[in-house]
Amino acid sequence: MEKIVLIITICMIIMAAPIVAKILKIPVVVVEISLGLICGYLGLIYADETLKLVAKFGFIYLMFLAGLEINFKLVKVIKATLAVNVVLYFVLLYTLAGAVCWFFDLGLTYFVALPIFSLGMLMMLIKEYGKDEPWLNLALSIGVVGEVISILALTLFGGWTEFGLSSKFFTSILTIIAVVVVTILLLRFSYMIFWWFPEVKKYLIPDNEDDKHDQDIRFSISLLLILVSIMLILKIDVVLGAFTAGLFFKMFFNQKQELLHKIESFGFGFFAPIFFIYTGSTVKLDMVTIDILQHAFFIMFTIICIRIISSYLVFLNYLKLKQTTLFALSDSMPLTFMVAIAMLSYNYGLISEDEYFSFIIASMLDGLLLMIIIRKLYKYFKLDIKSDTEILKR
């Protein structure tokens, strides 16, 4: 009976969230997290392994969609004109994070968590504002680099907490480097195969009129799960496998617009909402104190500030004031990876239970408030935003 109530609750939230979001004029992801939080507090959503697994798949699917949204033209522009800026941006992020940790005498967990990236909330911004906004395109492209750095940081941090400076720690480093190199080589190899034998594409994914067995969906989801499984075997964050699967389709099947639309509809319409609902339900409101909230706001404020400072110093001449502000805020929502780092640190005794709750609440409040602030600023800047869109077309 309890599982039936759980399923009905989740489905009701999925159906009602867009309607509530339209009435309240706030982003749908804010409604999903908030309703998940309320239903978790009321006991309608509880700790269930099946729900946790589906929610995890929702996040994996979001990373799959992130690979599909990569703008290769913009990547070429960044590579040609902004490579130094991107490097400087990340150097500034980690330098500022280090300075904050030194000044407030914070531990290694904070140094890893404060500058970390995650594309989950960024994908919801792309769903809401489209793919043609310069600040959002740049945020996604740089977010991809940040995500890879974050996966590396998470792997290093996890290896250090579990193994210390032993041989297993260095093995984990070499493994992720090897996986990245092999992934690049396989994408290059696939490019050569499809270049010399273009008919192979049609065998894998036939044209719409010849595809009577939904082979496009079969192939895309199967590839996603295979790559995720390989990452699990290698004990590497599954984000890398999911993103690679999306990147593969973006590179070689970008003309299959109907397939891309199917994939996005499944993700944004069902799997992603379950992830955000579950995330909201994990916060235990009855255990939250004023001190925990104050520390959560400190973490959130620091995350936003180091990105705003770094963005203004590096990208102001490129994006101008309004778009740089939106860019900095859009890159300031590391929801999933921050939760992962907090959980890892708490399990190994690096942070207290109060600090753990502060990280969880900060990651959620950060996403909730910034989604609303970005929408308000986007509307406020709307009169001038079209003139700024020409920046990336030059």
Side-chain angles (χ1 to χ4, degrees):
M1 185 65 181
E2 286 184 350
K3 281 189 178 290
I4 295 174
V5 172
L6 177 64
I7 293 170
I8 292 174
T9 302
I10 296 292
C11 292
M12 290 296 291
I13 293 175
I14 291 173
M15 290 191 295
I19 300 170
V20 175
K22 190 176 291 185
I23 294 172
L24 298 179
K25 296 181 179 180
I26 58 176
V28 67
V29 65
V30 174
V31 176
E32 289 164 353
I33 293 176
S34 300
L35 290 178
L37 189 149
I38 293 168
C39 289
Y41 178 71
L42 296 174
L44 296 172
I45 300 176
Y46 56 89
D48 180 81
E49 286 303 315
T50 304
L51 175 59
K52 186 177 180 180
L53 181 63
V54 176
K56 179 68 174 177
F57 183 73
F59 172 63
I60 290 169
Y61 208 96
L62 270 178
M63 297 305 100
F64 179 47
L65 294 174
L68 286 172
E69 298 295 346
I70 290 295
N71 185 331
F72 286 109
K73 289 183 180 178
L74 182 61
V75 170
K76 289 180 180 178
V77 170
I78 292 173
K79 188 176 179 180
T81 61
L82 288 174
V84 175
N85 300 63
V86 172
V87 173
L88 183 59
Y89 177 68
F90 285 107
V91 169
L92 279 171
L93 270 184
Y94 280 90
T95 301
L96 290 172
V100 170
C101 291
W102 173 78
F103 186 80
F104 291 100
D105 194 24
L106 303 173
L108 181 61
T109 298
Y110 291 83
F111 177 70
V112 177
L114 293 176
I116 207 158
F117 277 75
S118 183
L119 295 175
M121 298 297 283
L122 194 56
M123 291 307 302
M124 302 312 294
L125 287 175
I126 288 174
K127 175 65 176 176
E128 184 165 349
Y129 300 107
K131 308 171 186 177
D132 299 323
E133 298 292 341
W135 58 275
L136 202 46
N137 256 319
L138 183 62
L140 178 61
S141 300
I142 290 179
V144 169
V145 179
E147 185 106 337
V148 174
I149 293 174
S150 298
I151 292 171
L152 181 59
L154 194 57
T155 304
L156 290 173
F157 186 64
W160 176 76
T161 52
E162 186 174 355
F163 306 119
L165 295 178
S166 65
S167 59
K168 289 184 178 180
F169 171 67
F170 293 105
T171 300
S172 66
I173 298 174
L174 293 175
T175 301
I176 191 170
I177 293 173
V179 167
V180 172
V181 171
V182 170
T183 298
I184 294 171
L185 291 176
L186 285 176
L187 288 173
R188 291 280 186 181
F189 178 72
S190 300
Y191 180 82
M192 291 170 57
I193 292 294
F194 292 140
W195 174 265
W196 288 106
F197 306 102
E199 64 276 8
V200 174
K201 282 187 181 182
K202 291 189 176 182
Y203 283 110
L204 294 175
I205 300 182
D207 293 330
N208 294 331
E209 58 271 14
D210 300 325
D211 190 5
K212 299 178 181 179
H213 305 290
D214 293 312
Q215 194 170 326
D216 51 357
I217 289 294
R218 291 175 185 236
F219 181 74
S220 57
I221 301 300
S222 296
L223 180 65
L224 168 63
L225 294 176
I226 288 169
L227 291 179
V228 166
S229 299
I230 291 172
M231 296 301 123
L232 286 172
I233 292 170
L234 296 173
K235 296 182 179 179
I236 294 175
D237 199 293
V238 293
V239 167
L240 191 58
F243 178 78
T244 301
L247 196 61
F248 178 86
F249 280 94
K250 181 68 175 182
M251 289 178 67
F252 306 119
F253 298 98
N254 192 38
Q255 74 279 8
K256 303 281 185 180
Q257 292 300 318
E258 188 174 337
L259 169 62
L260 300 182
H261 180 70
K262 284 182 187 177
I263 292 172
E264 287 182 356
S265 296
F266 274 116
F268 290 122
F270 186 72
F271 290 118
I274 292 178
F275 164 70
F276 289 115
I277 292 166
Y278 173 77
T279 301
S281 71
T282 58
V283 175
K284 308 301 179 186
L285 289 177
D286 53 340
M287 298 184 68
V288 176
T289 64
I290 296 297
D291 289 339
I292 289 175
L293 280 176
Q294 287 178 342
H295 195 60
F297 276 107
F298 165 76
I299 293 171
M300 184 177 69
F301 180 75
T302 306
I303 288 171
I304 296 170
C305 282
I306 64 174
R307 282 164 173 78
I308 288 177
I309 294 170
S310 300
S311 299
Y312 282 167
L313 289 175
V314 175
F315 294 117
L316 188 60
N317 290 334
Y318 180 66
L319 286 174
K320 307 308 178 188
L321 180 63
K322 296 175 182 179
Q323 303 249 8
T324 303
T325 302
L326 291 172
F327 163 79
L329 295 178
S330 66
D331 261 353
S332 300
M333 298 181 284
L335 176 67
T336 48
F337 274 14
M338 180 173 289
V339 171
I341 288 174
M343 191 173 295
L344 193 65
S345 299
Y346 178 61
N347 289 339
Y348 283 96
L350 298 175
I351 57 175
S352 65
E353 185 178 56
D354 284 357
E355 286 179 299
Y356 170 71
F357 280 123
S358 292
F359 271 107
I360 302 299
I361 293 170
S363 64
M364 284 187 54
L365 284 177
D366 183 56
L368 288 171
L369 295 177
L370 287 184
M371 288 293 285
I372 295 172
I373 292 170
I374 287 170
R375 172 175 279 198
K376 298 295 183 185
L377 287 177
Y378 183 82
K379 289 181 178 179
Y380 181 74
F381 293 158
K382 194 64 177 177
L383 292 174
D384 300 318
I385 212 164
K386 286 186 178 178
S387 63
D388 290 339
T389 56
E390 299 300 320
I391 295 171
L392 294 179
K393 297 180 181 178
R394 293 175 184 173

